[in-house]
Amino acid sequence: MIRQYELIERIKAYDPDVDEDLINRAYVYAMKMHGAQTRASGDLYFSHPLEVAGIMTEMKMDQAAVCTALLHDTVEDTLATLDEIKRLFGDEICRLVDGVTKLSRIEFQSAQEKQAENFRKLVLAMSSDIRVLLVKLADRLHNMRTLHHIDKPEKRKRIALETIEIYAPLAERIGIHRIKEELEDIAFGELNPEARESILTRLNFLRAEGGEAVVESIIGELKKKIGEAGIKSDILGREKTRYSIWKKMQRKNIAFEQLSDIMAFRVIVADIQECYHALGVIHGLYPTVPGRFKDYISLPKSNGYRSLHTTVIGPENHRIEIQIRTPEMHEEAELGVAAHWSYKEGGGKTDGRQYRWLRELMDIVEHAQKPEEFLENTKLELYQDQVFCFTPNGDLIALPRGATPIDFAYAVHSTLGDKTVGAKVNGRIIPLNTQLVNGDQVEITTSKSQTPSPNWERFVVTGKAKARIRRFVRQQQHEEYMNLGKAMLQKVLKQEGYDYNEKNFTSDFCHGFKTNNVDELLVGIGSGHISSREVFYTLHPDHRPKEPPQTIQSMIETAEKKTHQKGKSAPMPIKGLIPGMALHFARCCHPLPGDRIVGIVMTGKGVTIHTIDCETLESFADTPERWLDIAWEEGEDSPESHVGRLIVTIANTPGSLGTLSTVIGKNGGNITNLKIVNRSLDFWDMMIDVYVRDSKHLSDIIASMRATPEITAVNRARSR
Ligand code: MN
């Protein structure tokens, strides 16, 4: 176990200004909180956060990151609270500990490729600060180093799989090669011990064959030749990791036979110029293997990796891979992002090149944010436009930000969305319009009888959910019209003593009504565009009354003739009518613009318009097929006057009739007809027709009349 003073010494080596008191307090606090807890190995639990802190110092991380490593399991595994951590260690450390705690609560469960990528994104999305991710990687590294202490094989396998699928690629992505390789190698041993063993055996065989001596002589010769060109170099011969050999064997489907399959040489020289110079020397001495030269110095990898790569037929005819780099590039390759932490000489200013992958993702250009600013803020706000949620099985679903359980359900499966009645998030029932957050586990409750609600469209954000809900609503409307049309048609047929038989409605028959099939015909009837009676007459022409002519066309023609006779050709400002159909205003209720109205198709007379509350409508209750859903055109100012009919009761006193006509005249009304309906000793009941503009005009007149003492009662006529 690292001692308290050792930890401080390690940090001091790269940060002389470290707050020793802070580190000591975090050390003591974590030790106290974990107390007598032990690990699977039997060690004190505290040894784990301490080792993680040690790994952080190897990466030369700042004191906040080291403290976070010490404290990273206290909130999850001890009585410590975030509030306390904040009080004792400040905002920054509290935020970092919170980040690591949250990250540790999510568990990867699926081995699918796409799932793994989503999960890596989730981890990045949740690592609001890059130090959170680094602590998490160090945590995982130490857990992998001690993996063999865990008894349950399934648990070891799960952790190893998660490591190889998620954490090793993340370490690679931020360029921490050293951690990536170690994670992979341990996980590989757990997941495929036979493969690892066979590679080890082969490596040992090659070594025994004198491989080691060969490596030494290659290093010696390279060093000598490069030195002769006046370049000082360090040359390392390095066995490739078992996992990378394995992957290469899988990828190329080959067995490894040659030294070049297992060894790589690194030539480390002072600066970039010498990198190219050394490359020139090597290429001048040995034949190159075509297609193997890569210049990652002028074109770094997206994780910031820089080096020159080449393969040559080197000393003693061994095919060897050589990487040429500066010490700085070497450190970057091993430590990635961490290599650029702020304790480097010269204040750690970097040109930001190493963060290209981050920059690309964050689209810094768009946000006009400089790489330096990014480093200062240490923000890692990736995938901020997405949320990642889990199914109960542990599958990860990526959704746009603002997504709700309905979006989630549709993303899992269309039919799941359709049948959704409720949702549980992290075990709690929540409203369906709740916005999901990263890491939510969402359980959808369904019912067979449930159908998509049009209301959902107001809060869903995914295109899939929207399209599905809309389609359903349209389809439902269609079905309703169809059922209604069928009911109307059945009714007419029954009245006339026939049975409804769909076979009668051949496609030819349907074409006669400008529809393609029975369904469309029924929808036409249900939506009021086709008369069910007309369908009946077409089916049984002998039932059609002889006089007057009964086709819709002839109805229209008759009506048009009448209209022309009256000299009225201006179209009525009414919508919902069949074009060209003749119109009449009912004499019973005298509809006015502004009234709610319905049309009744009158045999041979076109359409008669009634107010919706007209008592006459009761007599059409049994023939719904004659009803037309119509309305006044809005904002249409009819130049014509309309007749409004009033039923008035006035006192039988001298001058009362004069008062009545004065009130109407003053309000711009014009009496066209007046009839005394009932006359008693004290009161007269009268029916008065008045020319008005619209229903509001008539209402104004009625209001004025009601304010007149002589007039006892006044109402609009609603019946014959
Ligand atoms: Mn831990």
Side-chain angles (χ1 to χ4, degrees), residues 602-655:
M602 300 299 286
T603 312
K605 283 194 217 160
V607 176
T608 305
I609 297 169
H610 295 263
T611 61
I612 196 96
D613 53 359
C614 178
E615 290 170 17
T616 311
L617 291 175
E618 284 171 20
S619 53
F620 298 104
D622 290 333
T623 49
E625 73 272 10
R626 296 173 70 176
W627 292 53
L628 277 183
D629 187 10
I630 56 170
W632 294 97
E633 206 77 61
E634 271 163 274
E636 192 84 21
D637 252 339
S638 170
E640 296 171 29
S641 293
H642 299 263
V643 175
R645 177 165 292 185
L646 299 173
I647 306 296
V648 183
T649 305
I650 62 169
N652 181 12
T653 54

Side-chain angles (χ1 to χ4, degrees), residues 328-348:
E328 195 193 10
M329 290 175 199
H330 184 59
E331 193 176 21
E332 283 168 21
E334 295 290 300
L335 292 178
V337 173
H340 291 273
W341 209 247
S342 42
Y343 295 98
K344 302 215 24 114
E345 286 167 68

Side-chain angles (χ1 to χ4, degrees), residues 315-329:
E316 298 172 40
N317 277 334
H318 286 291
R319 200 180 112 128
I320 51 172
E321 275 181 39
I322 299 175
Q323 299 164 354
I324 307 168
R325 48 173 75 157
T326 65
E328 195 193 10
M329 290 175 199

Side-chain angles (χ1 to χ4, degrees), residues 337-555:
V337 173
H340 291 273
W341 209 247
S342 42
Y343 295 98
K344 302 215 24 114
E345 286 167 68
K349 288 284 168 245
T350 82
D351 55 7
R353 181 172 44 204
Q354 295 73 18
Y355 296 93
R356 200 167 57 156
W357 70 277
L358 287 175
R359 286 217 317 277
E360 279 168 2
L361 290 165
M362 292 178 69
D363 212 355
I364 277 172
V365 179
E366 198 185 70
H367 298 101
Q369 205 177 352
K370 288 182 196 144
E372 292 78 25
E373 284 173 4
F374 164 67
L375 279 176
E376 271 167 32
N377 298 329
T378 66
K379 281 272 163 60
L380 192 65
E381 294 186 339
L382 303 176
Y383 307 111
Q384 290 302 298
D385 54 341
Q386 289 183 67
V387 287
F388 301 89
C389 302
F390 293 94
T391 67
N393 295 333
D395 283 347
L396 198 57
I397 306 289
L399 294 163
R401 194 147 285 264
T404 63
I406 297 289
D407 292 294
F408 180 90
Y410 276 110
V412 172
H413 201 279
S414 304
T415 52
L416 183 68
D418 287 347
K419 301 283 166 223
T420 298
V421 286
K424 271 188 195 171
V425 166
N426 306 325
R428 274 185 34 237
I429 294 172
I430 52 136
L432 287 174
N433 61 355
T434 307
Q435 297 194 351
L436 299 171
V437 299
N438 269 326
D440 275 351
Q441 194 202 66
V442 186
E443 191 184 332
I444 298 292
T445 329
T446 59
S447 155
K448 272 189 189 145
S449 55
Q450 175 71 1
T451 55
S453 156
N455 287 338
W456 292 353
E457 218 194 308
R458 285 187 284 122
F459 54 75
V460 297
V461 299
T462 53
K464 188 177 179 187
K466 278 205 171 109
R468 190 77 193 183
I469 295 164
R470 269 187 210 144
R471 201 173 75 191
F472 179 83
V473 169
R474 262 206 312 272
Q475 196 181 312
Q476 197 179 37
Q477 223 166 39
H478 190 84
E479 259 168 45
E480 273 171 17
Y481 278 143
M482 207 165 77
N483 293 337
L484 181 64
K486 189 172 175 179
M488 285 166 73
L489 199 52
Q490 278 172 333
K491 198 162 163 187
V492 173
L493 286 162
K494 200 177 164 196
Q495 275 171 2
E496 303 288 345
Y498 289 91
D499 280 336
Y500 176 88
N501 184 353
E502 232 157 68
K503 281 185 189 136
N504 290 331
F505 308 117
T506 61
S507 56
D508 274 354
F509 185 89
C510 293
H511 289 158
F513 287 89
K514 296 199 165 66
T515 59
N516 292 315
N517 50 45
V518 186
D519 287 0
E520 283 185 26
L521 181 73
L522 295 177
V523 168
I525 295 169
S527 61
H529 292 97
I530 296 167
S531 152
S532 58
R533 194 149 282 273
E534 189 54 35
V535 174
F536 169 70
Y537 288 148
T538 310
L539 197 60
H540 302 285
D542 46 320
H543 284 262
R544 194 188 289 282
K546 297 287 177 280
E547 269 311 312
Q550 287 301 319
T551 62
I552 287 189
Q553 192 54 40
S554 67
M555 278 162 67

Side-chain angles (χ1 to χ4, degrees), residues 34 39 45 48-49 52 69 72-74 77 100 104 135-136 138-140 142-143:
H34 286 294
R39 305 197 88 216
Y45 193 94
H48 165 67
V52 176
H72 82 269
D73 277 331
T74 55
D77 295 340
V100 181
S104 301
V135 172
K136 183 65 205 167
D139 172 50
R140 177 50 55 111
H142 184 247
N143 284 335

Side-chain angles (χ1 to χ4, degrees), residues 173 204 215 271 313 523 556 691:
R173 214 177 278 189
N204 287 335
V215 169
D271 54 34
I313 309 298
V523 168
I556 292 165
Y691 268 136

